[in-house]
Amino acid sequence: MPWSTISLPPGLTSTSASHCTTSSCVFRCRPLQWLTASSGPSSSPEANEASCAKSCEENLDCLTSFPGYHGCFEACNDHSHHEATAAASGIALAAGNRTLRGQLAGCRLLTPNVSNGIESSGASCTAPTLGAPQVMDDEIQNHVRSLRNPEASDREKKEAANSLANLAVKDQNRAAIAAAAGIPPLVALVTRGSDSAKEEAARALGILATNDQNRAAIAAAGGIPPLVALVTSGSDSAKKNAALALGNLARNDQNGAAIAAAVGIPPLVAMVTSGSDSAKEYAAGALGSLAWNGQNKAAIAAAGDIPPLVALVTSGSDSAKEDAAYALKNLATNDQNRAAIAAAGGIPPLVALVTSGSDSAKEFAARALGNLARNDQNRAAIAAAGGIPPLVTLITSGSDSAKEYAAGALGSLARNDQNGAAIAAAGGIPPLVALVTSGRDSAKEDAAKALKNLATNDQNRAAIAAAGGIPPLVALVTSGSDSAKEEAARALGILAVNDHNRAAIAAAGGLPPLVALVTSGSDAAHGLGNLATNDQNKAAIMAAGGVQALQEIAKDGKMLVHRQVAQEALKHFPRESDSAEGGTKLGSDPATKPSTIVSAEKLRGEMRTLEAGNEELKAKAAEQLGTWAAVSDENRVAISRGGGPEALVALLVTGSDDAKWHAARALRNLANNCEAKDVILKAGGIATLEPVVRHGKGKVKEAADEALRLLSQKQEAKSIQATGQGKIAEAGDTIPTGEGTRVAVFSARFDGGPIEQKIRKVFQILCDRKYDILMVAADAGESFGDLTTEYLGRLHKEHGTMIAVCTKHYGEMTASAYSSHKELKFALDYEKFVKVLPLRVDDTYPPEPPGGPGHVYDKGYLARGYILSVFKPSVVFLECRENSEIEIAAQIANVLQKHKVAKDGSS
């Protein structure tokens, strides 16, 4: 190579003198015959990388070398020589005390003449300045070549890996190293290098893995298994570097699964448990990233990592506490892990971290507490540990992220009535209002959700209005993100229970955007219903087109829960409304009732999608069939006759995981009808579902298992066929109208099984007879909790009846915040206001919810205590075990008729 291209470090000046210097090292050009003691220039071989490297290795002052034309370029630690020549020749020194990372361009010896090993002035050593990007790329290429060179020593490879790790700190260099094919040789060095070389290579890969593309490239190059091996048996430094690399790689979900498959979780757990202080920190961070993957959450807990992480949050270094809180935050999105973290004593140290940790630690701890607070027991425990005041402080003076996470945590805590009062007492309402007003978009949504939950308390509703909360909620309904609009609308709907607030919402311009939101298909209809109890608001809503919007949702709403809520809201408007045809009866027009029968045209459209749509559309079509099948037997028969079971069974084999889940759920709903069940069986439903149950995972497996259990059950003699529905309707006409009866709410364990389906038919019969009866829809989704809270609030306010569907395990304490146990406790707490009507649907009565030392949530049989307190011997139950739907509906109606609202509003 007649010319070497060697890059120039920042701060190094160009000069024509024989030495090109920085303030700490000297660059010099030396002819090869001096290095090899050759007889003269004419016999000198051409310099090459190997000969120059060998010479440099033999010279203790030599830092690195590169070949030139008949000479080697060396960077030497040669301070005394540098000072002498600099003083003699006036060489310009570079600015600053820099570490040499660059190279000289165009080192060429014109007249080799050596004296005492130092070039004479006859040699020319020039250093023209080059563009920075090319300079850096050239340096990277040289380091990669060193890694790939089979003749390079382990020391050279280690130094190359070290240099690449330092260069990779900059974003552009990470991409350049990957483009120069630097990742495979680094993986090879982690696999086969010396201990110290492995350490440097792991460090380089860890820094490179902060880039999305590099994460995939490192995995593709086989980097995960050797990094797992290194974290298992390397030196302490190597383990830390490997843990850092695995943590960064795990931010890619596929990599997280691959690390677990390579048995990478146990050695990281071992590091957190018994490693050095710094090793614990690195391992906690890696496990936190791995915990983004749903299956890894369970695997990390199963490997015993929750107690050592809690210990690290409690007594680790500041940075270790931060990483441990990050890991617990991600682990706490799993129901079982929430209970395990609390059982390991994790709540108090997280509260302490919110109080006095670093900014990042406060953010992670607040997010962890928010995730933990999705569990009823944890909500009480966080409050008992003093968690509410520091979260309120954080929402007032924390970073933007901290404010958002604190708002989310307070929102979850506020689902507990005592916590709601405590948050208000700690001054939490004004900063939440401020966050809705001027926070970033995601923070506004979390703050609106928190205010919604706080507004279930009468005093809090007044306090939110007094703090100026209504105008910013109206603004959020008008111009927030879709999900933020929904939360703000729900908050306004609950605030509108208060007369003063109804007027204030209208005055703030809230009615038009709420109507617009209902028109777009939102479930904000209940807010309009509450607002319409004010006559002026009622007129304004009607003028803004609110009644028409509600009628459309009641008829064609996408989800059953939306249709039910719209129907409830329409009850607040006049039964007669002027129209072009001269009047429409809102209470009796079919348009105001939920559309229970799917049209043939809509069904054909979804079937076409199942046959020819892409994966996403097929999943949506299966979801729609499942929703229709949950509503009525007519729909189940229509779907089964329209080819739905066959298409859904096929989707279980060929669809995406999401499509398989929706297909299994749809088959489960269809299987509640005998005719549809026969079609599913003929389509090979059982044979198709069985392998999904055996080998599937998560929600797909659960839905398939439910469908399989229903299909495997013997047909019940009393199953109602689609052809018999007319008889039910006819029999229902014998039940007296429910107008004037008090509100009633069904309380049950929802599992999609035969009893639930039977009770839903009872519910529909009573609705058709105009009873003010409520039951959360099967497809309520994220609205389930909000509707449950709203329905219980009406029971209390209107002195209604809770209809308890007493299956054997009714009232069991679970992780859910909205379970039959919560409803049972509500009935006990407010027994002066709420009547309980038990339905005996099981041989075991009163119910016997599971509990005891082996139970995750109820070790002291608390649920059974509630059962005995509510279902006293004096409480008469309705015998429903052998009764038909119409018979059960008639029994319930007979009881509700005894509890009508008098004209003066009294009982």
Side-chain angles (χ1 to χ4, degrees):
M1 63 171 65
W3 289 86
S4 59
T5 305
I6 305 173
S7 61
L8 188 69
L12 182 64
T13 58
S14 300
T15 176
S16 60
S18 60
H19 301 87
C20 309
T21 65
T22 70
S23 61
S24 60
C25 298
V26 59
F27 283 104
R28 63 190 183 192
C29 298
R30 305 201 309 175
L32 191 62
Q33 73 264 29
W34 178 85
L35 297 174
T36 59
S38 301
S39 58
S42 60
S43 62
S44 174
E46 182 171 336
N48 58 51
E49 289 186 2
S51 60
C52 291
K54 184 175 185 300
S55 171
C56 185
E57 193 170 2
E58 293 171 352
N59 179 2
L60 294 179
D61 286 333
C62 182
L63 302 177
T64 188
S65 69
F66 303 94
Y69 183 60
H70 288 287
C72 294
F73 168 72
E74 294 181 350
C76 295
N77 186 7
D78 194 357
H79 299 286
S80 59
H81 171 74
H82 156 63
E83 290 166 2
T85 46
S89 59
I91 297 173
L93 300 182
N97 184 11
R98 300 180 182 275
T99 300
L100 292 176
R101 298 207 178 282
Q103 304 132 31
L104 190 66
C107 179
R108 182 181 183 186
L109 295 181
L110 301 177
T111 56
N113 184 10
V114 181
S115 173
N116 296 323
I118 305 300
E119 304 90 343
S120 71
S121 59
S124 173
C125 184
T126 61
T129 302
L130 302 177
Q134 180 62 49
V135 166
M136 201 58 71
D137 286 349
D138 291 338
E139 182 178 357
I140 288 169
Q141 289 283 2
N142 281 328
H143 293 315
V144 172
R145 275 197 295 269
S146 294
L147 288 175
R148 290 184 172 278
N149 184 0
E151 297 181 3
S153 67
D154 195 72
R155 173 192 168 191
E156 290 172 326
K157 290 186 176 182
K158 171 190 171 183
E159 290 176 349
N162 174 275
S163 296
L164 289 175
N166 293 335
L167 287 166
V169 172
K170 292 187 177 180
D171 288 341
Q172 64 269 29
N173 290 348
R174 288 194 284 274
I177 291 168
I183 287 173
L186 285 168
V187 169
L189 195 59
V190 170
T191 307
R192 295 184 295 273
S194 66
D195 289 348
S196 57
K198 286 180 178 180
E199 181 181 324
E200 290 300 331
R203 184 169 76 92
L205 289 173
I207 299 171
L208 287 169
T210 57
N211 172 303
D212 285 337
Q213 290 75 23
N214 288 351
R215 290 186 192 112
I218 291 168
I224 288 174
L227 286 168
V228 169
L230 197 59
V231 89
T232 304
S233 58
S235 66
D236 187 62
S237 293
K239 285 181 177 181
K240 288 190 290 186
N241 289 346
L244 175 66
L246 291 173
N248 287 338
L249 286 168
R251 296 183 183 185
N252 173 307
D253 199 50
Q254 289 179 322
N255 289 351
I259 292 167
V263 198
I265 289 174
L268 288 168
V269 171
M271 280 180 70
V272 173
T273 305
S274 57
S276 65
D277 288 347
S278 55
K280 287 178 180 180
E281 174 187 336
Y282 282 75
L287 289 167
S289 295
L290 282 165
W292 281 108
N293 178 293
Q295 291 178 331
N296 287 351
K297 294 180 202 296
I300 291 168
D305 192 45
I306 286 176
L309 284 171
V310 168
L312 203 57
V313 168
T314 305
S315 57
S317 65
D318 288 346
S319 53
K321 287 180 178 180
E322 184 177 317
D323 284 329
Y326 168 71
L328 291 174
K329 164 186 78 79
N330 292 340
L331 287 168
T333 59
N334 171 299
D335 285 339
Q336 289 74 24
N337 289 353
R338 289 186 194 112
I341 291 167
I347 288 174
L350 286 168
V351 168
L353 206 57
V354 169
T355 305
S356 58
S358 66
D359 287 347
S360 294
K362 287 179 179 179
E363 291 174 14
F364 293 145
R367 190 68 177 270
L369 290 173
N371 290 338
L372 288 167
R374 296 178 188 179
N375 171 302
D376 271 343
Q377 288 73 30
N378 289 352
R379 282 195 277 273
I382 291 167
I388 288 174
L391 286 168
V392 170
T393 299
L394 199 59
I395 206 174
T396 306
S397 57
S399 65
D400 287 345
S401 293
K403 288 179 179 180
E404 178 182 339
Y405 300 151
L410 291 172
S412 294
L413 288 168
R415 292 179 183 273
N416 173 304
D417 290 339
Q418 290 179 323
N419 289 352
I423 291 167
I429 288 175
L432 285 168
V433 169
L435 202 58
V436 171
T437 305
S438 58
R440 60 191 188 188
D441 288 347
S442 52
K444 288 180 178 180
E445 180 179 338
D446 282 335
K449 186 181 295 185
L451 291 174
K452 173 198 71 178
N453 293 338
L454 286 166
T456 58
N457 173 302
D458 286 338
Q459 289 76 18
N460 287 353
R461 282 194 286 273
I464 291 168
I470 288 174
L473 286 168
V474 168
L476 199 58
V477 171
T478 306
S479 58
S481 65
D482 288 346
S483 53
K485 287 179 179 179
E486 294 283 355
E487 293 299 340
R490 290 168 185 158
L492 290 171
I494 298 173
L495 287 169
V497 172
N498 175 303
D499 286 337
H500 176 78
N501 289 350
R502 283 193 283 271
I505 291 168
L511 300 182
L514 283 169
V515 169
L517 204 57
V518 171
T519 303
S520 68
S522 150
D523 64 346
H526 74 279
L528 289 183
N530 287 342
L531 286 163
T533 58
N534 173 309
D535 288 339
Q536 288 181 322
N537 288 353
K538 189 179 299 180
I541 292 168
M542 294 172 69
V547 172
Q548 292 87 341
L550 289 169
Q551 287 175 327
E552 290 173 8
I553 295 297
K555 181 179 179 182
D556 296 317
K558 182 178 179 181
M559 295 178 66
L560 178 60
V561 63
H562 293 171
R563 298 194 293 273
Q564 289 178 330
V565 171
Q567 186 183 35
E568 285 297 314
L570 284 166
K571 292 179 181 179
H572 295 283
F573 292 91
R575 298 182 65 82
E576 295 289 333
S577 178
D578 293 336
S579 67
E581 288 76 18
T584 302
K585 293 185 179 181
L586 298 180
S588 58
D589 193 306
T592 67
K593 296 181 180 179
S595 177
T596 58
I597 302 177
V598 59
S599 70
E601 182 181 353
K602 287 184 177 181
L603 179 57
R604 283 194 297 271
E606 298 299 343
M607 292 304 302
R608 285 194 295 270
T609 301
L610 279 178
E611 293 169 3
N614 59 33
E615 286 191 356
E616 183 180 357
L617 291 177
K618 285 182 178 180
K620 290 182 178 179
E623 180 183 15
Q624 183 61 71
L625 291 185
T627 300
W628 285 332
V631 173
S632 68
D633 258 359
E634 291 98 326
N635 286 354
R636 289 188 273 275
V637 171
I639 293 168
S640 66
R641 293 177 181 177
E646 295 88 344
L648 291 166
V649 168
L651 196 59
L652 277 174
V653 178
T654 61
S656 63
D657 284 348
D658 195 38
K660 288 179 180 178
W661 177 53
H662 287 303
R665 290 179 71 246
L667 288 171
R668 179 199 68 185
N669 292 341
L670 286 169
N672 286 293
N673 174 273
C674 295
E675 180 178 337
K677 182 187 291 186
D678 288 340
V679 178
I680 296 170
L681 293 173
K682 290 176 183 177
I686 288 181
T688 305
L689 285 163
E690 283 178 339
V692 178
V693 172
R694 283 198 303 272
H695 307 298
K697 297 178 180 178
K699 63 183 183 180
V700 177
K701 179 175 182 174
E702 292 173 6
D705 184 55
E706 290 175 3
L708 186 61
R709 281 191 285 109
L710 282 175
L711 288 170
S712 300
Q713 291 172 353
K714 293 182 179 180
Q715 294 183 0
E716 297 179 23
K718 290 188 176 183
S719 291
I720 298 176
Q721 298 290 335
T723 54
Q725 291 299 307
K727 295 179 181 179
I728 288 180
E730 183 179 346
D733 290 338
T734 65
I735 297 175
T737 180
E739 291 182 348
T741 57
R742 290 186 178 276
V743 64
V745 175
F746 277 104
S747 169
R749 283 176 62 92
F750 294 106
D751 60 1
I755 291 177
E756 179 185 336
Q757 297 303 320
K758 189 174 189 177
I759 295 301
R760 289 197 181 279
K761 291 172 187 174
V762 172
F763 164 70
Q764 191 61 56
I765 292 168
L766 292 169
C767 284
D768 291 342
R769 297 303 298 155
K770 303 191 185 308
Y771 283 83
D772 189 1
I773 197 150
L774 305 171
M775 185 176 187
V776 179
D779 58 353
E782 292 184 357
S783 300
F784 190 99
D786 294 333
L787 289 172
T788 301
T789 301
E790 179 184 342
Y791 292 172
L792 293 178
R794 281 196 62 194
L795 275 185
H796 174 268
K797 181 179 180 181
E798 300 174 30
H799 295 206
T801 300
M802 179 184 289
I803 305 172
V805 182
C806 295
T807 50
K808 181 177 181 179
H809 292 166
Y810 175 84
E812 180 182 4
M813 190 181 294
T814 69
S816 172
Y818 305 100
S819 61
S820 59
H821 177 79
K822 165 106 176 191
E823 293 159 354
L824 188 66
K825 184 177 184 300
F826 180 89
L828 183 61
D829 290 343
Y830 298 103
E831 59 183 341
K832 293 183 179 179
F833 304 94
V834 177
K835 293 179 172 62
V836 176
L837 176 61
L839 306 185
R840 183 176 184 179
V841 296
D842 192 279
D843 291 340
T844 301
Y845 184 88
E848 296 180 357
H855 197 279
V856 177
Y857 305 104
D858 188 6
K859 301 189 183 299
Y861 289 107
L862 182 62
R864 292 196 184 184
Y866 285 159
I867 290 289
L868 295 175
S869 298
V870 174
F871 301 128
K872 302 171 186 175
S874 59
V875 176
V876 179
F877 62 81
L878 299 183
E879 177 57 71
C880 302
R881 283 176 293 177
E882 302 297 329
N883 292 352
S884 67
E885 288 90 339
I886 191 64
E887 289 169 335
I888 296 171
Q891 290 175 281
I892 294 171
N894 184 50
V895 174
L896 296 180
Q897 285 290 327
K898 300 174 183 177
H899 301 293
K900 287 192 173 184
V901 179
K903 291 183 180 180
D904 62 358
S906 62
S907 298

